[in-house]
Amino acid sequence: MIVIFARLRSLLAVLAAALVLVAAPLARADYGDPPEVEAQRLVHVLGYVGADYGGAVDHGAITNQGEYDEQLSLLDDGAKIAGRIQPALPADAPRVDLPSLVGKVRSLVEKKAPASEVTAATLEARTAILGAFRLAEAPAAAPNAERGRAIFQKHCTECHGEQGRGDTPKAATLNPRPANFWDPEVADGMTPFRVASTVRFGVQGTAMVPFSQLSEAERWDVAFYVVSLRHTEAPAEGAPTYALAELATRSDASLREDLAAAGMTQDRIPAMLADLRKRAPYEDRAARSPLALARAKLDRARVALQRGDREAAKGQIIDSYLEGVEPVEAQLKSIDAGIVARIEDHYMGLRAALDRGEAPAALGASISGTLAELTAAEARLKEGAKRTGFVSTAISSGGIVVREGVEAALLVAALLGLAAQAGHADKKRYVHAGWAVALVLGVLTFLLSLRLVTISGAKRELIEGITALLATAVLFYVSYSLLAKREVQRWMRFLKEHISPRKAALSLFGVSFLAAYREAFETVLFYQALLASEASSLAAVVGAAVGAVVLVIIVSAYTRAGRFAPPQVFFRVSSYLLYGLAVVFIGQGLSALQMAGVVPAHRVGLPTVPVIGFYPTLETITAQLVLLALAVGAYVWNKRSPEAGPPRGATPAPAKG
């Protein structure tokens, strides 16, 4: 009897030990885990609540009591985890109150708040935890597709099935049943990051136990494999180049919205998603696309923000534009100038929000908006690459010359007319010399950029900005002097008596050269992009020639109008035009320097209007308002000063040339 009892006691001990081993994976928390692991678990809990809350509450009413109760239970666990890891925050981490952040989510869930508010609160908490403990939301290297499939076959098919439909005999015995990865309600919200977290920590109250024996790389392998299961379409060519970090944290639903917003037709989106889930994570596409580099640097900025390093984030945002967007900006403008303006708006808005000290979660939302515009930009580029026929190339080439040259053409025309009417007709050759030298220098820049150097994004913006500001300074000197004179006779007398022939020649040459070279430099960038797209060189030359003819017609029409218009009208129009171009140039110059990170940018809530050089930052608006105030001041001063008629016997200088 004693022997039987001893054996029974041994059997009970073995059973108890087995129960402990079986139950251990289902435990809500392993209290001996390091703080970093518990922080990962808390991120997992918050992500689960943020993703599934909408399925439990709708318009303030509970629609799934079991799901709702589970979320409250998970948040109870989350509150305990937050309390345990709060004292373990790294010394160099941003100071955050983790229990308060989790409590905020719990409060919203208890109030049955809208899903958008709960999602925002979980995002805020997750961002704080990821930054404080320097956790990663993406794999350190590209996943391995074959290894992911093998892990799924070994550990997951018994419950989830070969195809992930959750339709196996064992699945039928489980309550709740294993997830069906083909069910849109489940699959649309899945991300590889969420799947990897689930594999690591399991799901409380279900048969999904933690697979802590898998390495981090293996968890990512199986996670990317799981989200690819339902995408059976043939992967499409030409999908946007998302960074690996984006593919790890984006759901099918958000990617679908992104592609639709970028102009993809609904019938193409499934094949695009198949490409992004089945091929893109396993290929290094970033090296083939500057915009992919822009995306990767924005993701690094987001990580830096989570970690509280705002200066590093600022540098990544600036580099994202200069190294990722600027190299293809010219090509984009030739296809869709509007999207370039929107991208610049997003980047300027990001920098301004960073300077205002906005929270990482809000900045993360701004980064997401910028990424959506980059998706649209890449779609436009790939569509444009398909339309490189002779006629379309010629039209693009002609459009570049006219669009970039019209400001310089109007300025040259105004200078020629003013020189003639003011008795400096012999100085018109300096105007022609200015734009001719600029044109030659532009051609040399183009040849050198093709054969010897690659002009980086930062250098492009600096050259554009500095040239525009120099042109503004010289143009202001000439045009303000004209604007400050009240009568034609006084304008002429000023030009004749107060400007020496040498000074007049230098001014006319300087304005013509600087304005023309700035436009020539931008045109060089556009033609680099146009020819890089394998467009016909002959078509580009034909288009450029037609564009040049249009510019000559504009100059001729303006100067001819000056011969027949009354001197008062012509001088007034020309001086206003020159001064207006000075206002445009100073806006363009400062904006270029802001994009290069040289000049600070404080954004205001107004639209960008590039054609008049209006970029809504305090710096550009202030500079332009100063110029306008000087013009108004000159007008008021002249109105109040005594009338000063022309010198006795003086007559207007005859128009020449």
Side-chain angles (χ1 to χ4, degrees):
M1 186 73 178
I2 295 175
V3 173
I4 295 174
F5 177 76
R7 289 180 176 176
L8 181 60
R9 185 173 60 182
S10 300
L11 180 59
L12 289 173
V14 171
L15 289 173
L19 285 172
V20 169
L21 290 174
V22 171
L26 298 176
R28 294 184 178 182
D30 299 325
Y31 291 95
D33 282 341
E36 293 77 12
V37 175
E38 292 227 79
Q40 287 179 327
R41 182 179 289 110
L42 181 53
V43 169
H44 171 59
V45 167
L46 291 167
Y48 190 89
V49 171
D52 289 6
Y53 173 80
V57 176
D58 185 33
H59 292 89
I62 297 174
T63 57
N64 187 325
Q65 187 66 51
E67 184 74 23
Y68 182 75
D69 292 340
E70 180 188 14
Q71 292 188 13
L72 289 176
S73 176
L74 286 171
L75 288 171
D76 286 340
D77 288 345
K80 294 174 184 176
I81 297 171
R84 287 199 299 273
I85 65 175
Q86 179 69 34
L89 282 172
D92 60 344
R95 294 297 93 188
V96 292
D97 188 343
L98 300 181
S100 293
L101 291 172
V102 176
K104 179 181 177 181
V105 177
R106 170 72 189 237
S107 176
L108 289 171
V109 172
E110 288 177 340
K111 293 176 182 177
K112 305 175 186 63
S116 58
E117 294 183 21
V118 174
T119 300
T122 58
L123 176 61
E124 180 185 8
R126 290 173 66 240
T127 300
I129 299 164
L130 290 166
F133 288 92
R134 300 185 182 278
L135 306 177
E137 288 186 283
N144 184 302
E146 283 304 312
R147 191 167 62 186
R149 184 189 64 78
I151 293 170
F152 184 84
Q153 293 292 326
K154 179 179 179 180
H155 296 289
C156 310
T157 54
E158 185 179 8
C159 294
H160 291 284
E162 293 282 338
Q163 302 300 319
R165 294 181 182 273
D167 55 359
T168 66
K170 183 174 181 178
T173 67
L174 299 174
N175 185 25
R177 290 188 64 136
N180 175 5
F181 302 135
W182 292 66
D183 182 353
E185 291 188 4
V186 174
D188 280 353
M190 278 198 318
T191 68
F193 174 69
R194 184 180 174 191
V195 175
S197 297
T198 301
V199 172
R200 170 66 180 84
F201 299 110
V203 179
Q204 170 65 27
T206 74
M208 181 62 202
V209 299
F211 287 86
S212 54
Q213 74 274 21
L214 296 178
S215 68
E216 183 178 2
E218 289 172 329
R219 289 193 290 270
W220 282 115
D221 293 338
V222 73
F224 276 96
Y225 179 77
V226 165
V227 297
S228 74
L229 282 170
R230 69 168 178 159
H231 296 287
T232 57
E233 299 84 357
E237 297 293 337
T241 311
Y242 286 87
L244 181 60
E246 289 182 87
L247 294 175
T249 56
R250 299 285 297 273
S251 66
D252 282 3
S254 67
L255 288 173
R256 191 179 294 112
E257 291 175 6
D258 223 21
L259 295 171
M264 303 290 181
T265 57
Q266 289 299 319
D267 60 317
R268 292 184 61 201
I269 288 178
M272 290 285 183
L273 281 174
D275 177 68
L276 294 175
R277 291 308 191 195
K278 299 179 82 71
R279 294 196 309 196
Y282 311 104
E283 299 175 0
D284 181 15
R285 296 182 176 180
R288 303 198 297 268
S289 169
L291 290 180
L293 177 61
R295 305 184 83 102
K297 286 187 174 292
L298 282 179
D299 183 70
R300 292 174 198 165
R302 181 181 58 79
V303 172
L305 287 168
Q306 290 174 352
R307 297 176 177 176
D309 193 345
R310 302 179 80 86
E311 280 303 311
K314 181 178 180 180
Q316 292 291 349
I317 289 169
I318 292 173
D319 288 347
S320 171
Y321 178 82
L322 294 177
E323 298 177 21
V325 178
E326 180 69 19
V328 297
E329 186 181 82
Q331 191 175 351
L332 266 175
K333 275 187 178 178
S334 67
I335 298 170
D336 184 353
I339 199 169
V340 175
R342 293 196 300 274
I343 289 173
E344 289 180 346
D345 269 354
H346 275 281
Y347 275 97
M348 199 68 75
L350 266 176
R351 283 192 54 200
L354 195 60
D355 291 339
R356 287 196 304 270
E358 288 193 7
L363 287 165
S366 297
I367 288 175
S368 296
T370 308
L371 291 170
E373 288 293 353
L374 293 179
T375 300
E378 189 165 2
R380 298 290 190 281
L381 284 176
K382 290 181 177 180
E383 289 173 6
K386 299 175 183 177
R387 301 193 302 268
T388 55
F390 188 94
V391 175
S392 62
T393 300
I395 292 174
S396 296
S397 177
I400 289 170
V401 171
V402 173
R403 184 177 64 247
E404 296 304 311
V406 69
E407 286 179 359
L410 288 173
L411 184 143
V412 167
L415 289 176
L416 291 172
L418 283 172
Q421 294 253 1
H424 285 291
D426 59 322
K427 302 296 184 293
K428 289 167 60 177
R429 64 179 181 273
Y430 292 102
V431 178
H432 291 302
W435 68 258
V437 170
L439 186 60
V440 171
L441 192 57
V443 172
L444 290 176
T445 302
F446 176 71
L447 295 176
L448 286 172
S449 66
L450 287 179
R451 295 181 178 273
L452 300 178
V453 298
T454 298
I455 305 174
S456 70
K459 289 181 180 177
R460 293 179 184 186
E461 294 291 348
L462 286 173
I463 292 172
E464 288 183 20
I466 292 171
T467 306
L469 292 182
L470 287 173
T472 299
V474 181
L475 193 54
F476 172 78
Y477 169 75
V478 174
S479 60
Y480 188 75
S481 300
L482 294 172
L483 200 65
K485 303 302 168 186
R486 187 177 44 197
E487 298 176 357
V488 174
Q489 290 85 352
R490 294 184 67 191
W491 286 333
M492 293 178 180
R493 187 171 63 189
F494 172 82
L495 288 171
K496 289 180 178 179
E497 297 178 1
H498 296 279
I499 296 183
S500 66
R502 179 177 298 178
K503 189 180 292 185
L506 185 61
S507 298
L508 293 171
F509 175 85
V511 173
S512 177
F513 170 76
L514 288 170
Y517 181 69
R518 181 185 178 278
E519 304 302 336
F521 180 77
E522 282 200 346
T523 303
V524 164
L525 301 181
F526 281 120
Y527 275 99
Q528 279 183 329
L530 185 65
L531 296 178
S533 65
E534 300 181 358
S536 166
S537 298
L538 178 60
V541 171
V542 170
V546 173
V549 170
V550 172
L551 292 182
V552 170
I553 292 172
I554 292 173
V555 173
S556 300
Y558 192 94
T559 52
R560 285 183 177 277
R563 295 180 180 179
F564 302 105
Q568 300 94 320
V569 174
F570 184 78
F571 263 72
R572 189 171 292 115
V573 170
S574 296
S575 59
Y576 290 163
L577 173 61
L578 292 176
Y579 201 81
L581 288 173
V583 175
V584 171
F585 284 173
I586 199 170
Q588 292 174 338
L590 287 176
S591 176
L593 295 180
Q594 286 175 327
M595 297 306 296
V598 175
V599 174
H602 295 84
R603 186 68 184 272
V604 297
L606 294 171
T608 300
V609 189
V611 71
I612 61 172
F614 183 76
Y615 299 87
T617 65
L618 287 177
E619 292 77 12
T620 55
I621 293 174
T622 300
Q624 290 177 320
L625 286 178
V626 167
L627 291 186
L628 293 175
L630 288 172
V632 172
Y635 176 80
V636 172
W637 174 263
N638 285 323
K639 280 292 185 181
R640 291 183 176 180
S641 63
E643 290 292 329
R648 187 173 297 175
T651 57
K656 299 178 183 179

